[in-house]
Amino acid sequence: MSELLKRFEGRVPKVAIVLGSSLGSFADAVKDAIRIPYGELVGFPVPKISGHAGEFVVGKVGGKEIAVLAGRAHAYESGNPAVMRPVIEALKAAGIETLILTNAAGSLNPKMRPGSIMMLTDHINQSGMNPLIGSHGDENFVSMTDAYDPKLQKALKAAARAEKLKLHQGVYVWYSGPSFETPAEIKMLRIVGGNAVGMSTVPETILARRFGLRVVALSVITNLAAGIEGASPSHEETKREGAKAAMRMKTLLIRFIKDLK
Ligand code: HPA
């Protein structure tokens, strides 16, 4: 039995969710929760920035056992794009099959306003980094076609319909951060086909696909990206707007998990 599974006290979650900036309140929706600080789990990186808790929670949501990662480490904290690898590997070893990733992102489209929720249909890796660089073996040539599972995307759309929530869809661009983008960079990202920009998720998606997990991902749009209608994003705005949309995100996620086959 994996070290992580031993800590679950007999529970066997098949779904894990990573909570992005200011979505930590979702962890409060978990019933009969076991809470484990990352510091107690071998290889789990303790996040160093505000708005990210660093706690592993196992319990029931929508009647299903799930694992919640309240807080993620970002590549920009250390320069290591594989910082979440031990976490993804531990999830796989513990029997997790489906990974839900959430994040805060800036909108590249003035029609997708702050407070919107966007489902990722695809991504563009604009960071120059890849969490699999330095790994050896054929299994690292991972297909990124359908990286975001088409069946799970369909289920997410159904969950949004059932809850009467508007769900945007689009391409997420990973830009390393931690500085925000320049208005010129944002112009470029719009031209290359991005719909939202953020500093996370893509490395976890690559790692999760490498280890055979199904992935679905959601962005909370916290701001218009730099230069759009004169926007100048900040971490404070990200946290504030993320917290505002958290309730709707929670509603959507609970329904999605409840109905998940
Ligand atoms: N850019 C990058 N990351 C972000 C943004 C943004 O505008 N908003 C929230 N995370």
Side-chain angles (χ1 to χ4, degrees):
M1 188 188 282
S2 85
E3 283 307 310
L4 186 59
L5 194 55
K6 278 184 199 156
R7 299 291 305 263
F8 291 177
E9 300 174 13
R11 301 160 196 227
V12 191
K14 295 287 169 206
V15 178
I17 174 164
V18 177
L19 303 178
S21 296
S22 305
L23 293 167
S25 67
F26 179 81
D28 303 337
V30 182
K31 305 221 165 69
D32 306 325
I34 304 169
R35 297 177 186 276
I36 315 165
Y38 285 175
E40 292 180 15
L41 297 168
V42 178
F44 276 53
V46 180
K48 294 182 187 69
I49 60 164
S50 59
H52 296 262
E55 192 177 46
F56 198 93
V57 183
V58 184
K60 275 205 164 72
V61 167
K64 285 206 176 77
E65 292 290 352
I66 68 160
V68 180
L69 290 107
R72 62 150 64 77
H74 297 79
Y76 62 70
E77 293 170 54
S78 60
N80 175 16
V83 64
M84 290 291 281
R85 180 170 179 146
V87 178
I88 304 288
E89 283 196 78
L91 292 176
K92 176 70 181 176
I96 296 293
E97 294 168 353
T98 301
L99 185 63
I100 307 170
L101 299 170
T102 66
N103 61 56
S107 174
L108 299 172
N109 171 4
K111 289 201 179 115
M112 185 163 67
R113 307 300 298 183
S116 301
I117 298 176
M118 187 187 94
M119 176 180 79
L120 277 65
T121 54
D122 205 343
H123 74 228
I124 295 172
N125 182 353
Q126 188 67 28
S127 73
M129 299 186 275
N130 188 302
L132 299 178
I133 289 175
S135 303
H136 303 290
D138 288 359
E139 57 283 7
N140 294 296
F141 298 108
V142 183
S143 168
M144 282 289 128
T145 310
D146 290 338
Y148 301 92
D149 191 89
K151 279 199 186 124
L152 294 178
Q153 288 189 51
K154 228 172 144 185
L156 204 45
K157 284 190 265 182
R161 264 197 312 277
E163 294 293 343
K164 298 190 171 51
L165 290 169
K166 167 92 181 148
L167 183 64
H168 294 259
Q169 299 176 47
V171 175
Y172 174 93
V173 183
W174 177 28
Y175 194 88
S176 79
S179 60
F180 284 97
E181 305 73 30
T182 64
E185 287 163 341
I186 292 301
K187 247 184 222 167
M188 173 188 76
L189 299 184
R190 292 177 71 172
I191 292 166
V192 300
N195 301 106
V197 58
M199 305 177 190
S200 68
T201 301
V202 169
E204 289 114 87
T205 298
I206 295 170
L207 287 164
R209 296 305 299 140
R210 158 69 179 78
F211 291 103
L213 300 176
R214 302 194 294 171
V215 177
V216 69
L218 289 163
S219 294
V220 167
I221 300 300
T222 55
N223 56 280
L224 294 177
I228 299 179
E229 297 181 7
S232 178
S234 69
H235 189 51
E236 277 60 45
E237 183 184 34
T238 299
K239 287 192 287 185
R240 188 180 63 238
E241 295 299 322
K244 273 195 217 165
M247 269 308 287
R248 270 176 298 126
M249 192 72 152
K250 196 189 278 188
T251 304
L252 176 62
L253 286 169
I254 291 172
R255 167 65 69 158
F256 173 69
I257 292 163
K258 201 174 186 171
D259 295 349
L260 196 60
K261 301 277 182 318

